[in-house]
Amino acid sequence: MKAVVMKSFGGPDVLKPTELPKPHPKVGEILIRVRAAGINPIDYKIRSGNYTRAKSELPSVPGRDVSGQVEALGPDVSGLHVGDEVYAFLASHSGGYADFAIAQENEVALKPRTLDHTTAAAVPLAGVTAWQALFDYGNLNPGQRVLIHGAAGGVGHFAVQFAKARNATVFATGGPQDLDFLHNLGADKVINYKEEAFEDEVSEIDLVVDLIAGETQQRSWKVLKRGGTLVSTLSQPSEEEASQHQARAKAFMAKPTRQILTEIAQLIDAGKVHVVLQKTYPLEQAGQAQDDLEHEHSKGKRVLVLSK
């Protein structure tokens, strides 16, 4: 099979197209014929060799998002059949930048019926991350107020829509080029972080979803209501600040679950959530795709297209 392999850590040039043997599923595993693979910041962070929250044994195939067909099933897999159109959030045992990928049963769900594979591949990691930030760690309830930092990116654009689908009031920060985009996603108020200080625009926030970290995270304590929650995908919020605000503070890494993937697919098929593709690339341009994601402004997701 065709694959992109990383044999050493470094810049985008360490990603090399090559030929690998087609894998075979073991007990509890599913072999997916990959039609498209999503690109995420964790991909280039792992590639750098400096990312301590997740590591990769070399050589490895990058990629955590895929959409495609079930090619084969290992023993003791339930709920799926050969030929099913699926999407998956892969753990570190297999990579998506390849013609075929191995997934564990809980990492795979039937893809949204209304999406083609290219668009579906943009969903799993970012969608599950947004879902877990809002609901599993953030405990967001209908009618509550949520502030989402970095709302135009891959995770953020899902978080805005999931929160609105849960009938929350959504405040979103973004750049000047993102304002109409975020309003169209359903944000109730959009704050241009280059011209406005969000702490001057919002208050009494039940949940802050921090996708930026640094001083943005630190300033967020000013707008969080007493007893609220600050959740970050990047760095652990201050426990001292959390104690002072009688708040909960949590940093997390998303974990795949079939149940969440299924619920997200239902929202997409119901027309309540839209997936935004910023750009697609052929598999051979995986290095360029990662470099673009790292250094260009994101609005939605980028995807590698393997085959129709």
Short mmCIF file of all heavy atoms in Angstrom, two decimals, residues 161-196:
data_model
loop_
_atom_site.label_atom_id
_atom_site.label_comp_id
_atom_site.label_asym_id
_atom_site.label_seq_id
_atom_site.Cartn_x
_atom_site.Cartn_y
_atom_site.Cartn_z
N GLN A 161 -20.72 25.07 17.01
CA GLN A 161 -21.95 24.46 16.53
C GLN A 161 -22.54 23.45 17.52
O GLN A 161 -23.75 23.39 17.71
CB GLN A 161 -21.69 23.78 15.18
CG GLN A 161 -21.28 24.77 14.10
CD GLN A 161 -21.00 24.07 12.79
OE1 GLN A 161 -21.90 23.78 12.00
NE2 GLN A 161 -19.72 23.76 12.55
N PHE A 162 -21.68 22.68 18.17
CA PHE A 162 -22.19 21.74 19.18
C PHE A 162 -22.84 22.49 20.33
O PHE A 162 -23.88 22.08 20.85
CB PHE A 162 -21.05 20.87 19.73
CG PHE A 162 -20.42 19.93 18.75
CD1 PHE A 162 -19.18 19.37 19.01
CD2 PHE A 162 -21.05 19.59 17.56
CE1 PHE A 162 -18.58 18.49 18.12
CE2 PHE A 162 -20.45 18.72 16.65
CZ PHE A 162 -19.21 18.17 16.94
N ALA A 163 -22.21 23.59 20.75
CA ALA A 163 -22.76 24.37 21.86
C ALA A 163 -24.11 24.97 21.48
O ALA A 163 -25.05 24.98 22.30
CB ALA A 163 -21.78 25.47 22.28
N LYS A 164 -24.24 25.45 20.26
CA LYS A 164 -25.52 26.00 19.82
C LYS A 164 -26.57 24.89 19.72
O LYS A 164 -27.74 25.11 20.07
CB LYS A 164 -25.38 26.70 18.47
CG LYS A 164 -24.71 28.04 18.54
CD LYS A 164 -25.35 28.99 19.55
CE LYS A 164 -26.80 29.33 19.22
NZ LYS A 164 -27.39 30.26 20.24
N ALA A 165 -26.16 23.72 19.27
CA ALA A 165 -27.11 22.59 19.20
C ALA A 165 -27.60 22.19 20.58
O ALA A 165 -28.70 21.64 20.71
CB ALA A 165 -26.45 21.40 18.50
N ARG A 166 -26.82 22.49 21.63
CA ARG A 166 -27.20 22.21 23.01
C ARG A 166 -27.93 23.43 23.63
O ARG A 166 -28.20 23.45 24.82
CB ARG A 166 -25.96 21.84 23.82
CG ARG A 166 -26.17 21.26 25.20
CD ARG A 166 -26.94 19.96 25.21
NE ARG A 166 -26.23 18.87 24.57
CZ ARG A 166 -25.47 17.98 25.19
NH1 ARG A 166 -25.27 18.07 26.49
NH2 ARG A 166 -24.91 16.99 24.51
N ASN A 167 -28.22 24.43 22.81
CA ASN A 167 -28.96 25.63 23.24
C ASN A 167 -28.22 26.45 24.28
O ASN A 167 -28.81 27.02 25.21
CB ASN A 167 -30.36 25.26 23.76
CG ASN A 167 -31.24 24.69 22.68
OD1 ASN A 167 -31.28 25.21 21.57
ND2 ASN A 167 -31.95 23.61 22.99
N ALA A 168 -26.89 26.52 24.12
CA ALA A 168 -26.08 27.42 24.94
C ALA A 168 -25.97 28.77 24.25
O ALA A 168 -26.23 28.91 23.05
CB ALA A 168 -24.70 26.82 25.16
N THR A 169 -25.58 29.79 25.03
CA THR A 169 -25.24 31.10 24.46
C THR A 169 -23.73 31.09 24.20
O THR A 169 -22.95 30.86 25.12
CB THR A 169 -25.61 32.23 25.42
OG1 THR A 169 -27.02 32.20 25.66
CG2 THR A 169 -25.23 33.58 24.83
N VAL A 170 -23.36 31.34 22.94
CA VAL A 170 -21.97 31.13 22.51
C VAL A 170 -21.28 32.46 22.23
O VAL A 170 -21.75 33.25 21.39
CB VAL A 170 -21.91 30.23 21.26
CG1 VAL A 170 -20.45 30.06 20.82
CG2 VAL A 170 -22.54 28.88 21.56
N PHE A 171 -20.16 32.68 22.91
CA PHE A 171 -19.27 33.80 22.65
C PHE A 171 -18.00 33.21 22.03
O PHE A 171 -17.48 32.20 22.52
CB PHE A 171 -18.94 34.54 23.93
CG PHE A 171 -20.15 35.07 24.65
CD1 PHE A 171 -20.82 34.27 25.58
CD2 PHE A 171 -20.62 36.34 24.40
CE1 PHE A 171 -21.94 34.74 26.25
CE2 PHE A 171 -21.74 36.83 25.07
CZ PHE A 171 -22.41 36.02 25.99
N ALA A 172 -17.51 33.83 20.96
CA ALA A 172 -16.38 33.26 20.22
C ALA A 172 -15.36 34.33 19.92
O ALA A 172 -15.71 35.45 19.53
CB ALA A 172 -16.87 32.64 18.92
N THR A 173 -14.07 34.00 20.09
CA THR A 173 -13.01 34.92 19.70
C THR A 173 -12.40 34.46 18.38
O THR A 173 -12.26 33.26 18.12
CB THR A 173 -11.91 35.03 20.77
OG1 THR A 173 -11.24 33.77 20.89
CG2 THR A 173 -12.48 35.45 22.09
N GLY A 174 -12.05 35.44 17.56
CA GLY A 174 -11.43 35.15 16.27
C GLY A 174 -10.79 36.40 15.71
O GLY A 174 -10.91 37.49 16.28
N GLY A 175 -10.09 36.24 14.59
CA GLY A 175 -9.47 37.38 13.92
C GLY A 175 -10.48 38.13 13.07
O GLY A 175 -11.62 37.69 12.88
N PRO A 176 -10.07 39.26 12.51
CA PRO A 176 -11.00 40.06 11.71
C PRO A 176 -11.54 39.31 10.50
O PRO A 176 -12.66 39.57 10.06
CB PRO A 176 -10.15 41.28 11.29
CG PRO A 176 -8.73 40.88 11.54
CD PRO A 176 -8.75 39.90 12.65
N GLN A 177 -10.76 38.37 9.96
CA GLN A 177 -11.22 37.59 8.81
C GLN A 177 -12.21 36.51 9.19
O GLN A 177 -12.78 35.85 8.32
CB GLN A 177 -10.02 36.98 8.08
CG GLN A 177 -9.26 35.90 8.85
CD GLN A 177 -8.16 36.46 9.72
OE1 GLN A 177 -8.40 37.30 10.58
NE2 GLN A 177 -6.95 35.96 9.52
N ASP A 178 -12.43 36.30 10.49
CA ASP A 178 -13.28 35.20 10.97
C ASP A 178 -14.67 35.65 11.41
O ASP A 178 -15.51 34.81 11.73
CB ASP A 178 -12.62 34.51 12.18
CG ASP A 178 -11.25 33.97 11.86
OD1 ASP A 178 -11.06 33.48 10.74
OD2 ASP A 178 -10.38 34.02 12.75
N LEU A 179 -14.92 36.94 11.45
CA LEU A 179 -16.13 37.43 12.12
C LEU A 179 -17.41 36.93 11.46
O LEU A 179 -18.30 36.38 12.13
CB LEU A 179 -16.11 38.96 12.18
CG LEU A 179 -14.85 39.59 12.81
CD1 LEU A 179 -15.01 41.09 12.93
CD2 LEU A 179 -14.54 38.97 14.17
N ASP A 180 -17.53 37.10 10.15
CA ASP A 180 -18.73 36.63 9.45
C ASP A 180 -18.82 35.11 9.53
O ASP A 180 -19.92 34.54 9.70
CB ASP A 180 -18.72 37.09 8.00
CG ASP A 180 -18.95 38.58 7.85
OD1 ASP A 180 -19.46 39.21 8.81
OD2 ASP A 180 -18.62 39.13 6.79
N PHE A 181 -17.70 34.44 9.38
CA PHE A 181 -17.65 32.98 9.44
C PHE A 181 -18.23 32.47 10.76
O PHE A 181 -19.08 31.56 10.78
CB PHE A 181 -16.20 32.53 9.27
CG PHE A 181 -15.95 31.06 9.44
CD1 PHE A 181 -16.45 30.14 8.53
CD2 PHE A 181 -15.18 30.59 10.50
CE1 PHE A 181 -16.20 28.78 8.68
CE2 PHE A 181 -14.92 29.24 10.66
CZ PHE A 181 -15.44 28.33 9.74
N LEU A 182 -17.82 33.07 11.87
CA LEU A 182 -18.27 32.61 13.17
C LEU A 182 -19.74 32.95 13.42
O LEU A 182 -20.48 32.16 14.01
CB LEU A 182 -17.38 33.19 14.27
CG LEU A 182 -15.95 32.63 14.28
CD1 LEU A 182 -15.07 33.42 15.22
CD2 LEU A 182 -15.95 31.16 14.65
N HIS A 183 -20.17 34.11 12.95
CA HIS A 183 -21.59 34.44 13.05
C HIS A 183 -22.43 33.42 12.27
O HIS A 183 -23.47 32.96 12.75
CB HIS A 183 -21.86 35.85 12.50
CG HIS A 183 -21.59 36.94 13.50
ND1 HIS A 183 -22.24 37.00 14.72
CD2 HIS A 183 -20.75 38.01 13.46
CE1 HIS A 183 -21.81 38.06 15.39
NE2 HIS A 183 -20.91 38.69 14.65
N ASN A 184 -21.95 33.04 11.09
CA ASN A 184 -22.69 32.08 10.27
C ASN A 184 -22.73 30.69 10.90
O ASN A 184 -23.67 29.92 10.64
CB ASN A 184 -22.09 32.00 8.87
CG ASN A 184 -22.32 33.26 8.06
OD1 ASN A 184 -23.27 34.00 8.31
ND2 ASN A 184 -21.46 33.52 7.08
N LEU A 185 -21.73 30.37 11.72
CA LEU A 185 -21.75 29.09 12.43
C LEU A 185 -22.74 29.09 13.58
O LEU A 185 -23.09 28.04 14.10
CB LEU A 185 -20.36 28.76 12.98
CG LEU A 185 -19.27 28.40 11.97
CD1 LEU A 185 -17.95 28.14 12.68
CD2 LEU A 185 -19.66 27.19 11.12
N GLY A 186 -23.17 30.28 13.99
CA GLY A 186 -24.18 30.37 15.05
C GLY A 186 -23.73 31.08 16.30
O GLY A 186 -24.52 31.17 17.27
N ALA A 187 -22.51 31.60 16.35
CA ALA A 187 -22.05 32.31 17.55
C ALA A 187 -22.96 33.51 17.81
O ALA A 187 -23.29 34.27 16.90
CB ALA A 187 -20.61 32.76 17.38
N ASP A 188 -23.34 33.69 19.07
CA ASP A 188 -24.21 34.80 19.44
C ASP A 188 -23.46 36.12 19.48
O ASP A 188 -24.01 37.16 19.16
CB ASP A 188 -24.83 34.53 20.82
CG ASP A 188 -25.75 33.31 20.78
OD1 ASP A 188 -26.87 33.43 20.28
OD2 ASP A 188 -25.31 32.24 21.25
N LYS A 189 -22.19 36.08 19.88
CA LYS A 189 -21.35 37.28 19.87
C LYS A 189 -19.94 36.87 19.48
O LYS A 189 -19.40 35.90 20.02
CB LYS A 189 -21.33 37.95 21.24
CG LYS A 189 -20.49 39.24 21.28
CD LYS A 189 -20.57 39.91 22.64
CE LYS A 189 -19.69 41.16 22.70
NZ LYS A 189 -20.10 42.21 21.74
N VAL A 190 -19.37 37.60 18.54
CA VAL A 190 -18.01 37.32 18.07
C VAL A 190 -17.12 38.49 18.46
O VAL A 190 -17.46 39.65 18.24
CB VAL A 190 -17.99 37.12 16.54
CG1 VAL A 190 -16.56 36.84 16.08
CG2 VAL A 190 -18.91 35.98 16.15
N ILE A 191 -15.97 38.18 19.04
CA ILE A 191 -15.03 39.19 19.52
C ILE A 191 -13.77 39.15 18.66
O ILE A 191 -13.12 38.10 18.57
CB ILE A 191 -14.69 38.94 21.00
CG1 ILE A 191 -15.96 39.00 21.85
CG2 ILE A 191 -13.66 39.94 21.49
CD1 ILE A 191 -15.99 38.00 22.96
N ASN A 192 -13.45 40.25 18.03
CA ASN A 192 -12.24 40.39 17.24
C ASN A 192 -11.07 40.61 18.19
O ASN A 192 -10.88 41.70 18.73
CB ASN A 192 -12.39 41.58 16.28
CG ASN A 192 -11.16 41.82 15.44
OD1 ASN A 192 -10.12 41.19 15.63
ND2 ASN A 192 -11.26 42.76 14.50
N TYR A 193 -10.28 39.55 18.39
CA TYR A 193 -9.25 39.62 19.42
C TYR A 193 -8.16 40.64 19.09
O TYR A 193 -7.42 41.07 19.99
CB TYR A 193 -8.63 38.25 19.67
CG TYR A 193 -7.72 37.74 18.58
CD1 TYR A 193 -6.37 38.07 18.56
CD2 TYR A 193 -8.19 36.92 17.56
CE1 TYR A 193 -5.52 37.61 17.57
CE2 TYR A 193 -7.37 36.47 16.55
CZ TYR A 193 -6.03 36.82 16.56
OH TYR A 193 -5.21 36.37 15.56
N LYS A 194 -8.05 41.06 17.83
CA LYS A 194 -7.02 42.03 17.47
C LYS A 194 -7.43 43.46 17.81
O LYS A 194 -6.59 44.35 17.89
CB LYS A 194 -6.69 41.91 15.98
CG LYS A 194 -5.95 40.63 15.63
CD LYS A 194 -5.35 40.68 14.26
CE LYS A 194 -4.49 39.44 14.00
NZ LYS A 194 -3.85 39.49 12.65
N GLU A 195 -8.72 43.68 17.99
CA GLU A 195 -9.19 45.04 18.24
C GLU A 195 -9.96 45.17 19.56
O GLU A 195 -10.19 46.29 20.02
CB GLU A 195 -10.09 45.50 17.09
CG GLU A 195 -9.35 45.60 15.76
CD GLU A 195 -10.24 46.09 14.64
OE1 GLU A 195 -11.43 46.40 14.92
OE2 GLU A 195 -9.76 46.16 13.49
N GLU A 196 -10.37 44.05 20.14
CA GLU A 196 -11.18 44.08 21.35
C GLU A 196 -10.59 43.16 22.40
O GLU A 196 -10.09 42.07 22.07
CB GLU A 196 -12.61 43.64 21.05
CG GLU A 196 -13.32 44.47 19.99
CD GLU A 196 -14.63 43.83 19.55
OE1 GLU A 196 -14.58 42.70 19.03
OE2 GLU A 196 -15.68 44.46 19.75
#
